[in-house]
Amino acid sequence: MADTILRTKDLSVSFGALRAVNQVTLDIEARKFTTILGPNGAGKTTLFNLISGLYTPNEGRIFFRDTDVTGLTPMQRVQAGMGRSFQLTNVFPKLTVHENIRLAAQSYCKVGYNIFRDHRKFQKVNEKTEEIMERVLLQHRRKSPAAELTHGEQRKLELGMVLALEPQVLLLDEPTAGMAIEEVPTMIDIMRTTYAMGTTIVLIEHKMDLVKQLSDRLVILVNGAVLADGDPAEVSRNPEVLAAYLGGGAVHGSAS
């Protein structure tokens, strides 16, 4: 039996007359790479907002490691092991790369500013900060304020801050959005390395070529509901997907 780490059951939310997410039931298998793909307005980011606790569902439940987390706050979900990146970069612009990641590492290691704190705990934070900067390839920018980084570097920094929290499930909302084309392969490598280290990844993305490189599973969301779910190669040939998602064209290149 598959090891399900994250599950949604009949998840729905409406904004006025708009049914943004409609009865979505998903079982996310641990240590697998799942991509959610769909056209603009399909409900992808809204689904992430429900899973991460930013929105409250009108119907349905969310389970993490078989525990109902529907009523938990976003911070409580992070503490339980859920990490989330956003479409818009979310870093502290005046702090350096090192300081941004160190703050996240301190949170994970539960280290506050206390002059009587055991120095070994600060050593753990420093080691974690160095490790994450290396993983996201930003060691050379350690002293640079986040505001001075390129957009692609800021995206890597945000991912590093999430990784410093050691999430069991990583929710990535278009991590390559707005990146220069030459920066995209680096982000792909970081995601591939993170996945290889055993982190469960759920990705929202619009670049189909990237999806095929990385994903074990592809979920197509249209009008807030799941249209297709399965092996990326099979899903990309599904006639309903071709008709509803790309107007009958071949599933390749990119779509928003």
Side-chain angles (χ1 to χ4, degrees), residues 91-105 128-130 132-134 136-150 152-158 160-161 164:
V91 299
F92 298 102
K94 294 184 179 180
L95 299 184
T96 66
V97 166
H98 183 274
E99 290 166 341
N100 268 277
I101 294 178
R102 181 184 169 86
L103 281 175
K128 170 64 67 177
T129 302
E130 295 297 327
I132 296 299
M133 282 194 299
E134 184 174 350
V136 297
L137 308 177
L138 287 176
Q139 321 90 301
H140 64 296
R141 298 287 260 156
R142 60 183 298 119
K143 295 183 179 179
S144 300
E148 296 180 5
L149 303 181
T150 67
E153 288 171 334
Q154 289 183 357
R155 299 295 287 178
K156 289 190 289 185
L157 176 57
E158 182 193 27
M161 293 170 68

Side-chain angles (χ1 to χ4, degrees), residues 85-86 155 172-177 179 187 191 203-205:
S85 77
F86 294 83
R155 299 295 287 178
L172 298 176
D173 194 349
E174 297 200 21
T176 63
M179 293 181 71
M187 183 63 82
M191 287 190 286
L203 171 73
I204 288 175
E205 186 51 72

Side-chain angles (χ1 to χ4, degrees), residues 9-70:
K9 175 68 173 176
D10 298 329
L11 205 59
S12 299
V13 69
S14 298
F15 302 105
L18 173 66
R19 187 82 152 179
V21 172
N22 186 15
Q23 297 288 301
V24 171
T25 296
L26 291 173
D27 291 329
I28 302 298
E29 190 175 345
R31 297 173 295 280
K32 295 294 184 181
F33 198 121
T34 301
T35 296
I36 299 175
L37 194 71
N40 286 333
K44 305 183 297 297
T45 295
T46 302
L47 176 61
F48 264 24
N49 286 341
L50 290 168
I51 292 172
S52 59
L54 295 179
Y55 292 167
T56 300
N58 298 128
E59 302 172 23
R61 313 301 296 174
I62 303 160
F63 300 88
F64 182 67
R65 292 289 189 194
D66 294 326
T67 298
D68 190 335
V69 298
T70 313

Side-chain angles (χ1 to χ4, degrees), residues 124-233:
K124 182 179 179 181
V125 170
N126 291 333
E127 290 173 353
K128 170 64 67 177
T129 302
E130 295 297 327
E131 173 199 339
I132 296 299
M133 282 194 299
E134 184 174 350
R135 280 177 63 183
V136 297
L137 308 177
L138 287 176
Q139 321 90 301
H140 64 296
R141 298 287 260 156
R142 60 183 298 119
K143 295 183 179 179
S144 300
E148 296 180 5
L149 303 181
T150 67
H151 176 73
E153 288 171 334
Q154 289 183 357
R155 299 295 287 178
K156 289 190 289 185
L157 176 57
E158 182 193 27
L159 180 55
M161 293 170 68
V162 177
L163 292 176
L165 298 172
E166 295 288 347
Q168 297 172 50
V169 170
L170 182 58
L171 305 172
L172 298 176
D173 194 349
E174 297 200 21
T176 63
M179 293 181 71
I181 191 168
E182 63 270 14
E183 293 180 306
V184 172
T186 301
M187 183 63 82
I188 292 174
D189 287 342
I190 294 170
M191 287 190 286
R192 184 180 285 116
T193 299
T194 300
Y195 173 48
M197 293 175 70
T199 303
T200 304
I201 295 180
V202 185
L203 171 73
I204 288 175
E205 186 51 72
H206 68 275
K207 299 180 178 68
M208 178 59 74
D209 292 340
L210 184 151
V211 167
K212 287 185 175 180
Q213 284 185 54
L214 298 174
S215 304
D216 298 307
R217 172 187 179 193
L218 185 60
V219 177
I220 302 294
L221 205 64
V222 175
N223 296 326
V226 175
L227 177 67
D229 180 356
D231 176 78

